[in-house]
Structure formats: C-alpha cells, structure tokens
Amino acid sequence: MSINILFYVLFLSQIILISYYYPKQIIKRIEGVLKKFPPESYPKLYPESADKVIAAKIRYQLLNQIILVIGLLLMGLYALMSKDYDNGQKFAEGLPLMFGMVQFIPFMLLEVSGCRQFKLMRKANKSTSRSADLTPRHLFNYVSPLLVISAVLLLFTFIFFDLYIHDFTITNDLIIKIITLSLVHALFIGLAVWHLTGKRLDPHQAIKDRSSQTQFSLQSMGSVSIFLSLFLMANSAVDVFELGYMEIIINSIYFQVIAFVGIGGMLRTDQIDTINFDVYKADNSII
C-alpha cells in the first residue's frame, strides 16, 4: 500500500469520524432529549427555551457540515498537488494535525454553550432544599490506581526516550514538549480537583449522575495523558529517524483516538436512558 493510499484512508476516516459520525450521534441525542423531555414537563432543563436549544443544534450541525466539506476539499487538493509522496512535503504531514484542531472547534463551542446553560440554571434556581453526597470523593474511588501510575510512568518514559535518542542532549524541542506536558497536566490536575471538591455546574444534577460524570472525566484525562505521551514519543522518533512519511499516520491516528476516548466515551457512558431527568421537573427539588 503506497503512502498516498494510506493517507487517503486515514484522513478520510478522521473526517468522517469526527465531523460526521460523532456530530450525527450528538444531534440525535439532542433531538432525543427534546422529544422525551419537553419543556412543558421538564422546565428546569431549559433555562431559556427549547428554541434556543434547537438553534444551537442547527448551528452545531451546520458548522460540522462546513468542516466536513472543507476536509473533503483538502483531500482533493492534496490529490492534485502530489501523486507521489515527497518527504519534504510538510503539507501532507501536518494536514491531519491542523485539520484535527479545526474539527474539535464545534465540540468546544457546544461545551461553552452548555456551561452558559448551567449558569442560567443556577441563576434561575430558587429552591432552598439541598442534599449532598456525604461519601468522601477520593481520586481512586473513580479511577484505577493502575491508570494513574501508567500515565505518570509514561510521562517519565517519554522524557527518558527523547533524551536517549538524542544522546542525552536536552534539545529545544524537548523543552517545548515538557512545557506543553506540564501545562496540559496542570489543567488536568485542576479539573480533577474541581470534579472531586467543586460544586456542581448543573444545580439540579442527581448525585448518581454527577458521580458517573466524575468517573468518566477522570478516566478520560488519564487515558488522554497516556496517549499524549505515546504521541510525543512517536513524534520524536519520526524527527530523529527521518520518518516524515509516518507523521501523517501518527497525527491522524492520534486525533481519532482522542475523539474515540473523549467524544465517543461520553456518548457510550452518559446515555439518555441512564440519566435521572426527574430532577428537571417543575415539582422536584434538587437532589
């Protein structure tokens, strides 16, 4: 199989998975919530109105459709530009990475919109009745120690590996990667602390649902940490051993794995049928 064919297969897979399949599943999920839990019966679920949710869904769908078309056009552009792979052609090598960042924009905007809805929920929440989960919320109640240990070990393994293949010379590239890892994991630690000790974003969320959400978030961060270390190790190997043609493979696989763990994991774990929507009824107190 030529590198061009492999590029087409992987990049097409990335386009379809992140800009078509997962958005379609999320839209189906939103429509399912609107149908099963209408604002008339579940007013607390809609701090503004159902029309706002529908408008956000349409924007999200349209944005993903635009990105999907752009991705297909980029594939066509690459086909016109190069029939044979050229090691010096960075366009192909960086395309999955650059386009992958663009593909995640709609998901990030959807998360921002969700946070805004939660803020409005808290503002509109007039209930004085509260109940709290008195069970201690410790890290290892939600995530396996093996996952945490593996993530930490891989961080140091990456640093040692990079030093080893560079004859134990500290390069500027290594410094940049270490700074990047430090910032990412500082964010992860902050998010983990918030999940374990912070207040609920959704004031109506059931305790069981919050626990499930916390578990998924912590496990996802652990998995992403592992894949990030592996990605950086592979990236270093590509640079040192001049395997430029492998970069398109690594970059595309990385984004698809992150999407599978993050977006796919959320869809698999946080299913509509498992969420307690009774807390959003007009006659319910927050539990």
Side-chain angles (χ1 to χ4, degrees):
M1 179 182 292
S2 72
I3 193 66
N4 272 337
I5 295 176
L6 187 58
F7 169 79
Y8 294 140
V9 171
L10 286 172
F11 192 50
L12 181 61
S13 173
Q14 177 181 331
I15 293 170
I16 293 175
L17 181 69
I18 304 177
S19 294
Y20 174 75
Y21 178 74
Y22 282 144
K24 184 178 179 181
Q25 297 303 309
I26 290 175
I27 290 168
K28 182 179 178 181
R29 175 190 176 94
I30 294 172
E31 291 174 344
V33 171
L34 287 168
K35 182 178 180 180
K36 292 183 179 180
F37 310 101
E40 296 79 13
S41 303
Y42 300 85
K44 293 181 181 180
L45 188 58
Y46 306 92
E48 292 182 293
S49 67
D51 291 337
K52 293 284 187 179
V53 177
I54 294 172
K57 183 201 73 171
I58 293 173
R59 287 195 300 269
Y60 173 75
Q61 186 175 27
L62 179 61
L63 189 54
N64 276 290
Q65 288 173 344
I66 292 172
I67 293 174
L68 175 66
V69 172
I70 291 174
L72 295 175
L73 290 175
L74 285 174
M75 279 192 64
L77 178 62
Y78 173 76
L80 292 174
M81 288 179 61
S82 175
K83 293 183 179 180
D84 297 308
Y85 183 79
D86 177 4
N87 284 329
Q89 191 172 347
K90 292 295 181 181
F91 172 78
E93 296 173 7
L95 184 56
L97 183 64
M98 294 182 292
F99 186 68
M101 295 178 183
V102 174
Q103 285 183 289
F104 276 91
I105 290 176
F107 298 101
M108 291 187 288
L109 292 177
L110 197 63
E111 285 296 312
V112 171
S113 177
C115 290
R116 180 175 177 274
Q117 292 298 306
F118 292 144
K119 182 178 180 180
L120 292 173
M121 283 183 181
R122 292 193 299 273
K123 185 177 180 180
N125 181 32
K126 304 299 182 181
S127 175
T128 57
S129 175
R130 299 288 189 276
S131 68
D133 184 6
L134 300 179
T135 304
R137 296 166 60 83
H138 300 302
L139 177 64
F140 295 130
N141 293 139
Y142 299 97
V143 63
S144 166
L146 180 61
L147 180 63
V148 176
I149 293 171
S150 298
V152 173
L153 285 178
L154 270 173
L155 283 174
F156 289 102
T157 300
F158 156 68
I159 295 173
F160 177 80
F161 175 78
D162 196 283
L163 287 171
Y164 176 76
I165 62 177
H166 287 97
D167 296 324
F168 293 94
T169 301
I170 299 178
T171 63
N172 290 332
D173 187 56
L174 176 60
I175 293 174
I176 292 173
K177 288 177 179 177
I178 290 176
I179 292 174
T180 300
L181 282 172
S182 299
L183 292 174
V184 169
H185 286 84
L187 174 63
F188 284 174
I189 291 171
L191 288 173
V193 171
W194 175 79
H195 274 291
L196 294 172
T197 64
K199 295 181 179 180
R200 289 175 291 188
L201 278 178
D202 181 352
H204 309 297
Q205 188 179 40
I207 292 172
K208 182 180 178 182
D209 292 336
R210 186 189 183 188
S211 179
S212 176
Q213 184 183 62
T214 298
Q215 183 177 31
F216 165 71
S217 297
L218 294 177
Q219 289 178 348
S220 295
M221 286 187 282
S223 298
V224 169
S225 173
I226 288 174
F227 287 119
L228 179 57
S229 295
L230 292 173
F231 169 73
L232 292 177
M233 288 173 65
N235 185 269
S236 295
V238 164
D239 291 340
V240 171
F241 300 111
E242 298 181 350
L243 302 173
Y245 62 90
M246 289 295 294
E247 191 168 343
I248 57 173
I249 301 173
I250 296 168
N251 289 342
S252 186
I253 290 176
Y254 174 71
F255 271 102
Q256 292 184 65
V257 168
I258 295 301
F260 178 80
V261 172
I263 303 169
M266 181 272 293
L267 291 170
R268 291 188 299 272
T269 304
D270 196 20
Q271 298 182 10
I272 294 177
D273 294 338
T274 64
I275 299 174
N276 179 10
F277 280 91
D278 289 341
V279 296
Y280 301 107
K281 290 182 177 179
D283 57 345
N284 268 57
S285 297
I286 302 173
I287 64 172

